[in-house]
Amino acid sequence: MPDWPRLIRDIPDYPRPGIMFKDITPLLSDAAAFAAAVDAMAAPWRSLPLHAVVGIESRGFIFGAAMARSLGCGFVPIRKPGKLPARTLGEDYALEYGHDRIEIHADALPRGAPVVIVDDVLATGGTLAAAARLARRQGMDVLGASVLVELGALDGRSRWPDASPLHAALAA
Ligand code: AMP
């Protein structure tokens, strides 16, 4: 068993009471652990001809960009509203309380480009599912998704939109 999981720190009641926040900063600051975690996230996609990794703001950028470098493909950001400078497509999705929105550049990739969606934590699954819908509306061929940590008790996996693989490097 690799020892990178021990460098993910649990912070109780952050950012709100009742949330056990997975703090990845100790993992990121350790070169060997960061590399091992990125390798674990990239491994399922290594033999596929990916055009790009699609990373979700903000911690999905860190793992997504590192995975893109490791897999030898490009990187496309999915961002919070108003952050991307050119024409965007947006997707609204429900949160436990309220709603949120994410955006992608309308011309991010040519139609049919194979991609993998990446984020750090799968909780309720709403963010990852919305990102997959958005990527498909842009014309991307979503081959699957990789997350660093899946919070199994929240069953976010059930919201993943289809049969494409959802890979978690660590189940918590
Ligand atoms: P969800 O849409 O509920 O799956 O939430 C996933 C998004 O919220 C990801 O972008 C995570 O970075 C963040 N997130 C949700 N829950 C946690 C948690 N317990 N620890 C760290 N990040 C979380």
Side-chain angles (χ1 to χ4, degrees), residues 88-106:
T88 57
L89 302 173
E91 185 82 22
D92 293 297
Y93 62 101
L95 297 175
E96 200 176 351
Y97 302 103
H99 72 281
D100 215 339
R101 181 177 172 85
I102 48 175
E103 294 180 345
I104 198 169
H105 269 149

Side-chain angles (χ1 to χ4, degrees), residues 13-149:
D13 299 320
Y14 181 88
R16 289 191 309 275
I19 306 280
M20 183 65 84
F21 191 83
K22 296 290 177 186
D23 177 20
I24 56 160
T25 60
L27 168 68
L28 297 178
S29 66
D30 183 300
F34 184 27
V38 170
D39 282 350
M41 293 176 76
W45 318 106
R46 207 162 278 292
S47 61
L48 297 174
L50 287 183
H51 193 123
V53 169
V54 177
I56 303 172
E57 187 170 3
S58 56
R59 290 180 296 277
F61 289 0
I62 299 168
F63 292 100
M67 276 177 65
R69 185 69 182 86
S70 166
L71 293 168
C73 65
F75 176 82
V76 172
I78 284 185
R79 298 209 63 180
K80 299 188 173 132
K83 299 285 189 184
L84 289 168
R87 193 168 73 82
T88 57
L89 302 173
E91 185 82 22
D92 293 297
Y93 62 101
L95 297 175
E96 200 176 351
Y97 302 103
H99 72 281
D100 215 339
R101 181 177 172 85
I102 48 175
E103 294 180 345
I104 198 169
H105 269 149
D107 63 353
L109 290 182
R111 284 200 74 76
V115 302
V116 167
I117 315 275
V118 169
D119 206 355
D120 64 335
V121 172
L122 180 74
T124 67
T127 309
L128 203 67
R133 289 196 300 273
L134 189 55
R136 289 206 165 101
R137 279 176 51 213
Q138 197 280 323
M140 297 172 180
D141 178 13
V142 177
L143 301 188
S146 257
V147 296
L148 181 71
V149 183

